[in-house]
Amino acid sequence: MILTSPTPIDLNIGAIRQQFPILGRAVKDRPLVYFDNAATTQKPQAVIDTISQYYGNYNANIHRGIHSLAEEATAAYEASRMAVKEFIGAALSEEVIFTRGTTEGINLVACTWGRANIAAGDEILISGMEHHSNIVPWQILCHEKNAILKVIPVLDNGELSMTDYHNLLSPKTKLVAVAQASNALGTVNPVKPMIKAAHQVGAVVLIDGAQSAVHLDIDVQDMDCDFFAFSGHKLYGPTGIGVLFGKKDILESMPVFQGGGEMIKEVTFERTTYNELPYKFEAGTPNIADAIALKTALEFLNDLGKDNIRKHEAALLKYATARLETIPGLTIVGKAREKVGLVSFIIKGVHPQDIGVLLDNQGIAVRTGHHCTQPLMARFGIAGTVRASFAVYNTFEEVDALIAGLWKALKMLS
Ligand code: PLP
């Protein structure tokens, strides 16, 4: 195969890899090749250290304590909220709510904003490439309220049909909920014009940023979305921590989500008054350690520069796509003009899971199956795909290993 491996611009990938202890391990006696980054990224040592420093030095419950440890923990937790505010370009830190992840953020909006604002006959518009976590909460809501779930069709190349989108929008549309980037196809959706069009019919817009926050520059004010949800673990941060951004006036008008400590101002047996934003939506002891470590992950991203990372991942995607296309019977699913760094494919006559197992035997981690997008798989008439998704620490040599691994797998299956 004669294809040059373009070396990325300003990044020293070898040095970056050194920051990820897990990349030094072997799997099945082979060096680990980790291409399951869209499911979760690996964590740099700095993120791991932040968690252990919190538990080793200043573990305390936040906000209510007056002792030093509580003050230190509270300051670090709130500093992380500020870092998130900067990261997504929010106007106010009150608009940043810590959640468990994207799924919880979407469910929060469905359970609070949704229950208060959706009525019988209203329409909720999602897209045909949504992750189950941006389908099921709206289905539950529609069922409860006798509302109607409508779906923007996906074109053969993996882009959304914008003609259909505009036709589906109407004054009945109360909410549009779409992914900025697809976890199964890699498609980047044109969310800014989509949000503008939705606002013109009076709809509120939630953007699922689970796959975009790590790759794209996020500016919620410029985008003008009403809600934006993402997960820390997909951007080099810990699991169990995520963020829901909401515009202040909308968040203020929303009923509370969970009841408990921290979300209250005053409680009597007769009635409760609720805390201000963002605490109103953060009932109970939050995931303090991981919220603090999320800031470290954002610093890791900012230090490398998202633009540099994007260029590297785009080069990996281009290289991988070209090499994959040389494999007989292989079809790439999702050929949108704009994609994040992931490639999904099927091979004629071969079950994706068999490929996954045979690659794993060679130390190569890919994801196989429906990627929590069963309706999208049905749209393409397939049960699932093999997906290789890239992160900043991946190399062109690893792509070569994937291609060699695939050839080997196919030989074994033939
Ligand atoms: N939305 C998209 C597009 C995703 O890719 C994922 C996870 O893969 C989610 C939502 C759910 O994220 P989490 O499981 O972190 O809540």
Side-chain angles (χ1 to χ4, degrees):
M1 184 73 212
I2 304 163
L3 249 181
T4 49
S5 319
T7 315
I9 26 333
D10 296 328
L11 297 179
N12 179 344
I13 305 299
I16 291 168
R17 289 179 69 82
Q18 291 295 316
Q19 297 183 46
F20 288 79
I22 206 167
L23 298 180
R25 70 161 281 184
V27 169
K28 311 272 165 72
D29 293 329
R30 301 285 194 91
L32 167 67
V33 173
Y34 187 77
F35 281 147
D36 195 17
N37 296 289
T40 197
T41 53
Q42 297 303 343
K43 319 304 170 200
Q45 188 63 50
V47 167
I48 301 166
D49 288 346
T50 301
I51 297 169
S52 109
Q53 275 156 15
Y54 165 75
Y55 287 119
N57 291 318
Y58 59 103
N59 170 50
N61 212 330
I62 53 168
H63 293 139
R64 291 174 294 271
I66 47 134
H67 60 79
S68 299
L69 296 190
E71 277 175 11
E72 282 175 39
T74 304
Y77 183 81
E78 291 304 330
S80 186
R81 197 190 307 277
M82 287 303 289
V84 171
K85 167 191 170 286
E86 296 301 319
F87 183 74
I88 60 172
L92 305 160
S93 60
E94 298 98 284
E95 296 178 320
V96 173
I97 297 159
F98 282 122
T99 62
R100 215 158 42 82
T102 310
T103 304
E104 191 175 69
I106 296 171
N107 276 277
L108 189 161
V109 176
C111 289
T112 60
W113 182 91
R115 285 208 180 116
N117 290 284
I118 296 294
D122 285 347
E123 292 179 3
I124 293 176
L125 187 50
I126 61 172
S127 91
M129 64 175 76
E130 295 311 310
H131 188 280
H132 295 162
S133 59
N134 202 24
I135 301 174
V136 184
W138 309 120
Q139 255 173 356
I140 296 170
L141 180 65
C142 285
H143 187 72
E144 235 178 71
K145 297 285 184 176
N146 253 325
I148 301 151
L149 191 66
K150 295 218 158 172
V151 183
I152 312 159
V154 178
L155 301 171
D156 289 345
N157 70 352
E159 294 180 2
L160 290 179
S161 164
M162 283 301 126
T163 312
D164 285 306
Y165 174 59
H166 290 286
N167 289 337
L168 283 162
L169 279 177
S170 83
K172 283 190 186 164
T173 316
K174 292 292 177 288
L175 177 87
V176 174
V178 285
Q180 189 170 14
S182 157
N183 65 310
L185 307 174
T187 311
V188 175
N189 289 317
V191 289
K192 197 173 166 185
M194 289 177 79
I195 293 165
K196 194 171 174 207
H199 284 166
Q200 276 162 2
V201 297
V204 160
V205 184
L206 178 142
I207 299 298
D208 173 348
Q211 294 297 334
S212 60
V214 65
H215 302 291
L216 309 178
D217 294 321
I218 307 300
D219 184 334
V220 290
Q221 290 187 77
D222 179 60
M223 210 189 284
D224 199 25
C225 56
D226 301 290
F227 299 106
F228 186 90
F230 69 96
S231 305
H233 70 96
K234 292 184 194 288
L235 39 75
Y236 309 101
T239 53
I241 189 73
V243 169
L244 174 71
F245 158 84
K247 282 183 182 163
K248 189 180 175 194
D249 54 334
I250 301 182
L251 289 175
E252 272 177 342
S253 73
M254 276 159 52
V256 295
F257 181 37
Q258 294 175 329
E262 195 57 33
M263 53 76 76
I264 57 92
K265 210 172 243 167
E266 201 182 341
V267 180
T268 65
F269 283 117
E270 288 69 41
R271 66 186 283 272
T272 295
T273 52
Y274 300 120
N275 207 340
E276 283 146 21
L277 290 174
Y279 312 111
K280 170 181 164 184
F281 292 110
E282 292 182 1
T285 302
N287 185 351
I288 304 166
D290 295 319
I292 294 170
L294 178 61
K295 177 168 178 275
T296 310
L298 300 183
E299 284 162 0
F300 169 81
L301 268 172
N302 290 337
D303 286 351
L304 294 180
K306 268 194 183 172
D307 200 37
N308 289 331
I309 299 174
R310 223 170 11 248
K311 280 182 192 145
H312 176 56
E313 290 170 349
L316 286 172
L317 177 66
K318 193 171 168 203
Y319 183 60
T321 303
R323 294 219 57 190
L324 285 168
E325 279 175 334
T326 63
I327 294 178
L330 188 146
T331 305
I332 289 175
V333 183
K335 290 188 146 192
R337 284 163 292 180
E338 212 188 321
K339 283 176 72 170
V340 292
L342 71 84
V343 57
S344 252
F345 59 89
I346 48 174
I347 300 179
K348 200 165 181 224
V350 187
H351 198 286
Q353 197 151 337
D354 292 340
I355 297 175
V357 170
L358 291 170
L359 287 175
D360 182 59
N361 285 341
Q362 303 171 65
I364 302 165
V366 292
R367 179 124 319 221
T368 59
H370 55 63
H371 315 295
C372 295
T373 58
Q374 282 179 346
L376 179 68
M377 295 297 118
R379 149 71 181 87
F380 283 101
I382 53 179
T385 71
V386 181
R387 180 187 72 188
S389 50
F390 307 119
V392 66
Y393 41 68
N394 288 127
T395 65
F396 295 91
E397 291 72 25
E398 288 181 313
V399 174
D400 291 339
L402 170 69
I403 304 298
L406 277 172
W407 278 108
K408 193 168 169 190
L410 290 176
K411 210 165 162 195
M412 290 176 81
L413 290 166
S414 64

